[in-house]
Amino acid sequence: MFYNAGGGGYDVPRARVLHEQLLDRLRADPGVRGAALTARPPLSQGEAHTINVTGQAPPPGALGFLVEMSAVSPGYFGTMGIPIVSGRDFDATDRPGSRPVAVINETMARRFWPDRDPIGQRFQPRNRKEPIEVIGVARDSKYITLGEDPAPFFYAALWQQEAPSVAPVALIVSTRGEAETAAPIAREAMGELDREIPFTNIATLADVVDQALWAPRTVALLVAAFGALALGLAAIGLYGVLSYSVSQRRQEIGLRMALGAAPRNILAMIVGRGLLWTAIGAAAGLGLALLAASGLSSLLYGVEPSDPTTFIAAPIVLLTVAFVASYFPARRAAGLDASQTLRL
């Protein structure tokens, strides 16, 4: 949920006091596990900064390294459930006038300081006069999309930023009960401070994730629908081919039965041929799917492109459909009368 202290007539010093008082009231509520502010909520459009790192040359033709960032308040990582793997979180000492600090993610630590401890290292954003010191390393997370690859990212101390204090900020509240209770608790806390400042864009984290997944889910549903249609067409086609094959081989089947072939042998022959054709097609499809899997990785969440369950389940489903489509022509062939067939 967002609110805008600047829009309510607050200047920077008063806005910072409002932010801190709101967080203090929320954290004191027994129904709240954690509360924090951020200039940019998760899974939203990025804010990239060009930085320079001592001893590292930027890409040819570039002024520096382009790194995404967000400004957050103390308590953000605990509220979001993002572990600090080394160093520390922001605290009350990280205020205007103190040395600029940042918490970086694991990918940024590996990218710029692979052979040394990143804590205490510094980097220089081109839009700041002072370098920023790294005070902590946080676990990699998702910042813009759920399908993104790990990329360098840093968190700046919100209290050290002037613009976010009077710009819309996102309030993140982690509750001990249902997520829907966060908004009433936040409204009550804000109402005790300033009833004229409303909350907007209220949503749970599950809502944010659902919104981020809307486009991939739509694509997945369309692909699934086309896949089901293709599976149905394959079953109809296989049924048609086998039915035609049985009608063309009536005399052969009758001769086999006259020479002693049991109905179950005829049934196995017809079904086996249908399964063989399907198995050959499935094997070719699996090979092509493995080749195309890497290009689909950005559309997959929680599933690896070479997920073994998927690659095992798909042929099983296809062979099951092929068995059903083959069984009825095969049963009709097994029920032929040998003497009548040979007279044709």
Side-chain angles (χ1 to χ4, degrees), residues 278-292 311 314-315 318:
T278 304
I280 294 173
L286 285 175
L288 293 174
L290 283 170
L291 292 176
F311 279 86
L318 191 59

Side-chain angles (χ1 to χ4, degrees), residues 38-319:
T38 176
R40 169 188 160 190
L43 303 180
S44 62
Q45 286 300 316
E47 180 182 348
H49 283 247
T50 301
I51 68 169
N52 288 293
V53 180
T54 303
Q56 300 199 32
L63 297 176
F65 301 97
L66 200 62
V67 179
E68 298 283 340
M69 66 84 64
S70 179
V72 302
S73 72
Y76 175 83
F77 300 101
T79 302
M80 288 297 299
I82 302 174
I84 299 289
V85 297
S86 66
R88 67 172 178 87
D89 191 356
F90 299 118
D91 58 30
T93 65
D94 303 316
R95 308 187 70 80
S98 62
R99 75 188 189 285
V101 294
V103 174
I104 64 175
N105 70 349
E106 295 172 300
T107 300
M108 184 167 176
R110 289 191 296 266
R111 170 64 179 85
F112 295 110
W113 302 283
D115 55 353
R116 50 185 160 165
D117 187 358
I119 306 301
Q121 304 297 330
R122 297 188 177 190
F123 58 92
Q124 178 68 59
R126 292 189 61 84
N127 63 342
R128 295 183 65 106
K129 295 180 180 179
E130 298 180 77
I132 297 179
E133 181 179 331
V134 177
I135 61 169
V137 178
R139 184 74 51 82
D140 283 343
S141 183
K142 300 295 184 181
Y143 310 107
I144 303 176
T145 68
L146 291 171
E148 66 193 15
D149 294 327
F153 190 95
F154 74 91
Y155 304 86
L158 182 65
W159 302 151
Q160 293 182 335
Q161 314 298 308
E162 182 170 325
S165 297
V166 291
V169 291
L171 172 64
I172 299 174
V173 181
S174 173
T175 61
R176 301 185 188 278
E178 295 295 329
E180 289 74 12
T181 62
I185 293 173
R187 287 195 187 98
E188 182 180 353
M190 180 63 85
E192 297 172 356
L193 299 171
D194 190 333
R195 294 185 177 276
E196 300 301 319
I197 298 182
F199 288 108
T200 60
N201 296 339
I202 299 173
T204 65
L205 186 58
D207 294 334
V208 174
V209 172
D210 284 342
Q211 185 177 0
L213 287 174
W214 180 84
R217 280 175 175 165
T218 301
V219 172
L221 286 174
L222 289 174
V223 170
F226 284 120
L229 179 61
L231 186 63
L233 291 175
I236 294 171
L238 184 61
Y239 175 84
V241 168
L242 290 175
S243 294
Y244 180 75
S245 175
V246 167
S247 66
Q248 295 295 306
R249 298 172 63 191
R250 289 172 63 89
Q251 288 188 332
E252 176 196 339
I253 293 171
L255 182 60
R256 286 177 181 271
M257 296 179 71
L259 293 175
R264 65 175 180 275
N265 300 126
I266 301 300
L267 187 70
M269 180 184 71
I270 303 298
V271 171
R273 176 163 296 186
L275 292 179
L276 176 62
W277 291 346
T278 304
I280 294 173
L286 285 175
L288 293 174
L290 283 170
L291 292 176
S294 59
L296 299 175
S297 58
S298 62
L299 300 176
L300 304 176
Y301 307 105
V303 179
E304 294 296 325
S306 57
D307 178 56
T309 303
T310 302
F311 279 86
I312 292 173
I316 291 176
V317 171
L318 191 59
L319 289 171

Side-chain angles (χ1 to χ4, degrees), residues 3-11 14 18 166 194 196-198:
Y3 69 93
N4 187 353
Y10 285 73
D11 56 16
R14 291 178 59 232
L18 176 69
V166 291
D194 190 333
E196 300 301 319
I197 298 182

